[in-house]
Amino acid sequence: MNLVTAINDGLRVALESDPTSCVFGEDVAFGGVFRATTGLREVFGGKRVFNTPLSEQGIAGFAIGMAAVGSTAIAEIQFADYIFPAFDQLVNEAAKYRYRSGNEFNVGKLLVRAPYGAVGHGGHYHSQSPEAYFAHTAGLKVVIPSTPYEAKGLLLASIRDPNPVIFFEPKALYRSSVEDVPVGDYEIPLSKARIVKEGKDITIIGYGAQIQVLTEAAKVAEEQLGITCEIIDLRTIQPWDKTTVFASVKKTGRLIISHEAPRNCGFAAEVAASVQESCFPYLEAPIQRVCGYDTPFPLIFEKFYLPDKFKNLEAIRQTIQYDFSDQ
Amino acid sequence: MAAMEDSSKVVTHFKDALIVPNRPEHVVPTYRILEDGKLNTPDKVEISDEEVIRCYKGMVTLNEMDSKLYDIQRQGLISFYMTSYGEEAIHYGSAAALDMGDVVFAQYREVGVLMYRGFTVQNVVDQCYSNIRDLGKGRQMPIHYGSKELNYQTISSTLGTQIPNAAGAGYAMKMQGKPNCAVCYFGDGAASEGDFHAALNFAATLGSATIFICRNNKWAISTPTRDQYRGDAIAGRGVAYGMHTIRVDGNDFFAIYNATKEARRIAVEEGRPVLIETMTYRVGHHSTSDDFTRYREQKEVSPWQKDNPITRLRLWLENQGLWDNNKNDQLKKEARESVIAAMKEAEVLQKPKISDLFTDVYDKETDQLRSDREKLFQHLAKYPNQYPIDIHLPES
């Protein structure tokens, strides 16, 4: 399956296994603009798989209300770039629902899916990676898969997690990433990072579509520098798996964090600060962040903007060759 | 109501097309049946005398409670308060027409609905004091009540957000096959939020079993309705969304009861939403942080203090021989005493345990929250005299 087929299959399993679950959003009835909901309406009916009016705050607010009375709400925001009208509902309502009511009520049965990230020609509003905005909000979980197998297992775990989850899907991989995916029901636990590749000289952390970029950069670096890189797929942005990350950095002594989103207050800043606090004696070089620039996501300059393989390769080289006595 | 057809009326003159329809026949009329202490209606009002008396007592108790809690906020005993003066009939008239299985989503000026359902004066006072009996564990400001047992979703300060929540809840309840609906309260100011638009449009197009009840009390803090909208208030919009809509005199207990009862029948039996706009007047200040004399004159308020929903209902009760001055004096006395007794009880109770700062963020404590909690307690052990530790329930 490719990544979007895996998502579609995950939604099918979710609808089959939970009679209260509904899938809805803009244009999901005919299969979705990325075909993520293809065929679901035919199987599960128009009351469980349906179009909404074109309003993101409405989609999020409606979904929160469904979850508040015990139904499973699987809402789609067409592009992560358009999640901001729903920001108030997600940050002020969904995230705080359990806490503010003293656990009288909760919206744990809420999941919001949204395609995110660069796609080659998405410009300002079809390319964004807004995960850091939500990582700053206690009460929300934020999950980003990196392959089709990961996507289905993490999606099912996110739908069934008793907390509101925002699930960002790397749309660049919807069709390009293909692997074997079980047709049955399986889950991948949240807040558990995945070691994509073990290594001993440097830790490289990313998530989503960036894992592919980092894997390529590491391969070249290993050939050129005679080192081994440990690549970690964070999978869950909030609450994130510090245990796995700290153990890896304590082993390698070096760390690079890379994401498409802008650097300033991006999630890499949180990872870097936490590692610095907890692994200070182990660090042999400054932690590097390889991120998007602090600009809006540009159209014709996308290739220059992205934290691509070569920028990561150069960061690995500098980190490996870092010498305190030169400073 | 049939779905609106695409407008097929063709005009050939620009002049005609530019006329704003503002004729009386385009204005939604106001439903009123209680006049001068008598019911003036061909409609049935199917409510027992005992139930009316129960509601009247609730309205008076709410009024006395408001008066006392407003005063004690001024004395600094609680941090904040909002009264319901002038809007008591909306609370009790609608609450009496609902079923306990109906889920309520409220704004903040609807505590009478919750009290009708069984929330006591003591429950209200405990929440306002943030003590160990506050179901919300002292995390939210006073008046942000909620109760799972009473099917009343916890209030949040964010205006209008509960309106699409209620649209979704009404849809889910219909899907679950429950013989119940969602009921959503909000003010005329909140209806200007984008969430109102989203909610009514979603409820209409998707078929939510939801009753939307707008309290149009003519003021959103200092903003009068002439600065809030220029159309036919809120009811005019319900018509535009293709929704059953009624405008009701918000000081008429029986009109609100009848409208809510029929709205509930439509929501539950037909699975469609209904908008009720209740026309009233906010007699009190917006909140304890507000002084209405800075933006409106007392002479505007005075008539509404006289024509208020409590005295209107009382006149009806007296005409029926169900009420008299002695009973009224006794009721007010009991209500005042119940508030004072509740305050005495509330003020000596401890505040929730300090570790409740960290619970319920997620269903389970995360590693990060565990670490933060442990660090706070280590800090408190070092600096015990710098924090009000003693007023909180000790950790078990």
Side-chain angles (χ1 to χ4, degrees):
Chain A
M1 293 183 197
N2 63 29
L3 199 144
V4 79
T5 317
I7 294 288
N8 180 265
D9 203 50
L11 294 173
R12 176 188 58 77
V13 171
L15 285 162
E16 259 169 17
S17 61
D18 176 357
T20 74
S21 59
C22 292
V23 169
F24 54 93
E26 294 158 15
D27 306 300
V28 305
F30 88 113
V33 296
F34 289 105
R35 316 308 296 157
T37 52
T38 300
L40 299 177
R41 187 180 173 96
E42 287 73 9
V43 177
F44 299 100
K47 285 179 179 158
R48 296 186 62 196
V49 180
F50 55 90
N51 288 338
T52 65
L54 204 166
S55 167
E56 286 75 18
Q57 69 188 114
I59 291 169
F62 192 86
I64 288 167
M66 288 186 71
V69 295
S71 285
T72 297
I74 307 171
E76 177 180 308
I77 300 292
Q78 203 159 70
F79 287 85
D81 311 67
Y82 305 130
I83 204 166
F84 300 110
F87 200 68
D88 182 41
Q89 283 285 349
L90 295 171
V91 170
N92 276 330
E93 305 305 314
K96 298 169 177 55
Y97 222 94
R98 188 190 296 274
Y99 188 76
R100 76 182 185 206
S101 69
N103 205 21
E104 288 283 290
F105 299 99
N106 73 82
V107 291
K109 288 176 178 287
L110 169 73
L111 178 112
V112 177
R113 300 174 39 241
Y116 92 98
V119 71
H121 49 268
H124 294 351
Y125 307 113
H126 300 82
S127 309
Q128 291 181 64
S129 301
E131 65 276 4
Y133 291 103
F134 296 101
H136 194 58
T137 302
L140 291 178
K141 292 194 175 182
V142 182
V143 177
I144 306 184
S146 59
T147 76
Y149 175 82
E150 291 279 309
K152 183 176 167 185
L154 287 169
L155 178 70
L156 284 167
S158 298
I159 290 169
R160 292 160 182 168
D161 189 271
N163 297 285
V165 180
I166 301 179
F167 193 83
F168 289 120
E169 299 163 5
K171 61 183 173 293
L173 304 186
Y174 268 158
R175 283 170 227 298
S176 67
S177 178
V178 182
E179 68 183 351
D180 287 338
V181 176
V183 288
D185 193 341
Y186 69 95
E187 292 179 24
I188 295 174
L190 304 190
S191 295
K192 199 94 191 117
R194 170 174 72 110
I195 297 178
V196 180
K197 188 186 100 53
E198 289 196 17
K200 59 179 176 45
D201 298 304
I202 184 167
T203 301
I204 305 172
I205 297 175
Y207 45 84
Q210 199 63 4
I211 292 301
Q212 214 168 60
V213 173
L214 298 177
T215 304
E216 289 169 24
K219 189 161 175 282
V220 179
E222 291 180 347
E223 287 163 9
Q224 293 185 355
L225 302 170
I227 56 159
T228 60
C229 303
E230 181 142 301
I231 301 175
I232 295 178
D233 175 3
L234 215 47
R235 286 173 166 164
T236 301
I237 307 303
Q238 149 124 328
W240 61 291
D241 180 3
K242 292 185 176 177
T243 309
T244 300
V245 169
F246 293 169
S248 177
V249 176
K250 284 177 182 174
K251 178 175 71 175
T252 65
R254 294 179 173 86
L255 174 63
I256 287 173
I257 314 142
S258 180
H259 54 59
E260 286 180 19
R263 176 198 309 264
N264 191 21
C265 295
F267 197 67
E270 179 59 34
V271 175
S274 300
V275 167
Q276 182 271 133
E277 283 165 6
S278 297
C279 309
F280 184 69
Y282 299 87
L283 287 172
E284 293 175 32
I287 298 165
Q288 288 222 40
R289 289 179 285 160
V290 186
C291 307
Y293 300 113
D294 292 321
T295 67
F297 197 106
L299 181 69
I300 199 65
F301 311 110
E302 177 167 325
K303 284 196 160 55
F304 303 98
Y305 171 88
L306 281 175
D308 65 0
K309 178 169 92 173
F310 302 103
K311 291 178 188 171
N312 276 288
L313 178 60
E314 180 56 21
I316 296 169
R317 189 190 307 277
Q318 284 177 14
T319 305
I320 290 291
Q321 295 172 348
Y322 183 82
D323 187 344
F324 277 102
S325 56
D326 291 347
Q327 303 306 308
Chain B
M1 185 188 282
M4 287 281 185
E5 308 250 332
D6 286 341
S7 178
S8 56
K9 190 185 174 198
V10 176
V11 293
T12 53
H13 298 291
F14 208 38
K15 184 171 155 283
D16 294 339
L18 284 174
I19 292 172
V20 178
N22 195 23
R23 296 182 293 273
E25 63 266 32
H26 289 108
V27 173
V28 178
T30 301
Y31 176 57
R32 175 192 295 161
I33 55 179
L34 180 60
E35 307 257 17
D36 302 325
K38 295 187 195 71
L39 280 171
N40 174 23
T41 175
D43 300 337
K44 280 187 185 161
V45 186
E46 291 171 336
I47 185 168
S48 68
D49 290 347
E50 292 72 30
E51 183 73 349
V52 179
I53 292 169
R54 176 188 166 190
C55 289
Y56 177 77
K57 286 180 170 175
M59 288 160 68
V60 172
T61 302
L62 167 58
N63 204 246
E64 294 295 326
M65 182 185 84
D66 272 354
S67 161
K68 189 70 195 165
L69 293 183
Y70 184 86
D71 286 348
I72 68 163
Q73 193 284 333
R74 306 322 283 177
Q75 296 159 23
L77 291 175
I78 57 176
S79 59
F80 181 75
Y81 196 70
M82 293 177 111
T83 63
S84 298
Y85 298 143
E87 302 181 33
E88 297 89 348
I90 300 168
H91 304 196
Y92 282 88
S94 60
L98 300 173
D99 182 272
M100 276 300 283
D102 299 337
V103 179
V104 175
F105 290 79
Q107 180 169 304
Y108 48 59
R109 212 183 298 281
E110 299 92 357
V111 67
V113 177
L114 185 56
M115 293 174 79
Y116 176 89
R117 294 189 155 209
F119 213 65
T120 62
V121 169
Q122 185 70 55
N123 294 147
V124 166
V125 172
D126 285 337
Q127 198 281 331
C128 289
Y129 273 78
S130 303
N131 65 31
I132 45 167
R133 290 200 300 217
D134 170 16
L135 295 172
K137 302 182 187 171
R139 291 169 182 150
Q140 287 211 86
M141 287 171 73
I143 67 109
H144 291 61
Y145 317 104
S147 165
K148 187 180 175 64
E149 186 195 347
L150 302 177
N151 242 338
Y152 192 96
Q153 299 263 327
T154 304
I155 305 292
S156 70
S157 307
T158 37
L159 277 193
T161 49
Q162 80 282 13
I163 317 177
N165 297 166
Y171 184 85
M173 290 164 79
K174 180 175 155 183
M175 287 283 293
Q176 292 164 4
K178 290 197 175 140
N180 286 107
C181 60
V183 186
C184 182
Y185 295 86
F186 53 94
D188 52 273
S192 293
E193 293 281 1
D195 276 323
F196 166 89
H197 161 65
L200 271 73
N201 198 29
F202 274 55
T205 55
L206 297 169
S208 300
T210 306
I211 307 172
F212 298 99
I213 301 179
C214 178
R215 298 175 293 96
N216 189 334
N217 64 18
K218 306 199 173 34
W219 290 90
I221 308 186
S222 72
T223 305
T225 48
R226 67 175 174 274
D227 294 344
Q228 198 66 249
Y229 54 74
R230 284 296 158 100
D232 181 20
I234 313 304
R237 299 181 206 165
V239 177
Y241 286 114
M243 187 180 292
H244 285 282
T245 301
I246 186 168
R247 175 173 286 147
V248 181
D249 182 335
N251 288 8
D252 178 340
F253 172 85
F254 292 107
I256 296 160
Y257 176 82
N258 260 12
T260 310
K261 200 166 181 197
E262 174 61 7
R264 188 177 183 282
R265 189 195 64 72
I266 292 167
V268 174
E269 290 178 15
E270 299 177 19
R272 288 192 286 178
V274 181
L275 172 64
I276 302 173
E277 182 181 24
T278 57
M279 308 306 281
T280 184
Y281 189 87
R282 195 195 79 215
V283 175
H285 302 288
H286 166 69
S287 73
T288 47
S289 307
D290 172 58
D291 171 12
F292 74 57
T293 62
R294 293 174 63 182
Y295 50 81
R296 67 185 189 190
E297 293 180 39
Q298 181 58 39
K299 69 179 184 199
E300 180 190 320
V301 183
S302 297
W304 293 95
Q305 286 172 325
K306 290 193 194 79
D307 176 30
N308 79 63
I310 293 177
T311 49
R312 266 218 236 172
L313 186 57
R314 181 179 163 185
L315 190 57
W316 181 86
L317 285 167
E318 287 175 353
N319 285 345
Q320 303 295 307
L322 296 168
W323 204 252
D324 57 39
N325 279 339
N326 283 343
K327 282 182 178 167
N328 216 58
D329 292 345
Q330 182 64 20
L331 171 61
K332 284 186 160 186
K333 185 167 165 279
E334 283 171 12
R336 275 196 294 271
E337 285 170 359
S338 74
V339 184
I340 291 163
M343 283 166 47
K344 280 189 180 147
E345 212 173 307
E347 64 196 8
V348 296
L349 285 170
Q350 287 173 298
K351 308 304 179 193
K353 56 186 196 291
I354 295 165
S355 60
D356 277 337
L357 189 166
F358 297 100
T359 55
D360 304 327
V361 178
Y362 296 94
D363 67 313
K364 293 195 191 86
E365 188 176 59
T366 61
D367 291 348
Q368 180 66 61
L369 287 167
R370 178 179 46 73
S371 160
D372 288 343
R373 176 173 53 78
E374 288 168 358
K375 279 182 188 159
L376 173 63
F377 281 99
Q378 285 161 15
H379 178 76
L380 293 178
K382 269 189 172 175
Y383 299 89
N385 301 324
Q386 305 302 321
Y387 298 88
I389 294 169
D390 293 347
I391 67 170
H392 289 273
L393 185 70
E395 305 295 317
S396 52

